[in-house]
């Protein structure tokens, strides 16, 4: 008889009975632990069931080896959940996923600095020019709609837009 993936070489008839029960129940135990304890812990818990079963001295004959494994599984689950509850929630930290690299941090810093320069440059515009710029770029109004709202001609709106764009381009030019 070849040993299972988790079980050591077996020598006694009791161990052989447990090995057979383990082979039959292993997949169901895995699904049970996946459901109750999560897939990250289930493989280890299934193995622990068999290790605990082999470690107990229950005499040479078990009347219900599968039931014995399930009782161990239930007790092991209770112990595991009790320990988790005492520890509180466990947060897994994956450095690759949760730590931005230096390039990401630099890009975020540059974006924040650019946003600040943009807001400062926008605040420095004359009120009417700033309002017309925001109506067109933020509110997405056409020059004709802005002209109707402000009492200007479309050419007057175009003048304020070109003034705003030139001002912003000068203030936001990248310094190299």
């Amino acid at each position: 008889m070849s040993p299972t993936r988790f079980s050591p070489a077996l020598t006694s008839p009791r161990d052989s009975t447990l090995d057979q029960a383990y082979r039959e129940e292993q997949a169901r135990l895995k699904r049970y632990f996946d459901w109750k304890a999560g897939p990250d812990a289930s493989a280890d818990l299934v193995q622990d069931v068999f290790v605990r079963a082999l470690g107990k001295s229950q005499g040479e004959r078990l009347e219900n080896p599968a039931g014995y494994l399930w009782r161990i599984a239930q007790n092991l689950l209770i112990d595991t959940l009790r320990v988790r509850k005492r520890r509180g929630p466990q947060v897994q930290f994956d450095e690759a996923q949760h730590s931005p690299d230096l390039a990401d941090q630099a890009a975020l810093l540059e974006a924040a600095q650019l946003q600040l320069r943009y807001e400062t440059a926008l605040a420095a515009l004359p009120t009417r020019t700033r309002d017309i710029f925001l109506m067109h770029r933020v509110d997405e109004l056409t020059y004709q709609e802005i002209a109707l709202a402000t009492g200007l001609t479309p050419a007057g709106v175009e003048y304020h837009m070109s003034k705003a764009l030139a001002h912003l381009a000068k203030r936001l030019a990248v310094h190299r």
Side-chain angles (χ1 to χ4, degrees), residues 5-89:
R5 189 173 84 173
F6 296 118
S7 65
L10 304 172
T11 56
S12 75
R14 174 185 160 267
D15 291 347
S16 177
T17 303
L18 278 174
D19 182 52
Q20 182 180 354
Y22 177 77
R23 289 174 192 255
E24 292 171 1
E25 298 298 321
Q26 179 180 5
R28 284 189 290 260
L29 285 167
K30 172 87 167 78
R31 286 191 303 271
Y32 173 72
F33 285 130
D34 280 346
W35 176 51
K36 294 286 191 174
D40 293 342
S42 63
D44 289 336
L45 290 171
V46 170
Q47 184 176 1
D48 288 347
V49 167
F50 193 64
V51 168
R52 283 188 182 191
L54 284 176
K56 304 282 183 184
S57 62
Q58 291 294 320
E60 289 299 315
R61 299 197 53 146
L62 288 172
E63 295 209 15
N64 183 358
Y68 180 63
L69 292 176
W70 277 97
R71 173 51 60 199
I72 292 172
Q74 291 170 344
N75 290 339
L76 184 60
L77 179 65
I78 290 168
D79 292 345
T80 301
L81 296 178
R82 192 176 294 145
V83 167
R84 282 186 186 173
K85 187 175 180 180
R86 263 195 316 262
R87 285 186 189 157

Side-chain angles (χ1 to χ4, degrees), residues 119 121-136 160-161 164:
E119 290 171 0
L122 200 55
L125 282 169
T127 304
R128 185 170 213 166
T129 303
R130 180 178 56 248
D131 291 344
I132 290 171
F133 176 80
L134 292 174
M135 283 188 225
H136 182 62
H160 284 282
M161 280 300 296

Side-chain angles (χ1 to χ4, degrees), residues 131-153:
D131 291 344
I132 290 171
F133 176 80
L134 292 174
M135 283 188 225
H136 182 62
R137 291 295 171 103
V138 176
D139 299 333
E140 298 179 352
L141 298 177
T142 64
Y143 284 7
Q144 185 65 39
E145 293 168 328
I146 296 170
L148 289 172
T150 60
L152 294 173
T153 64

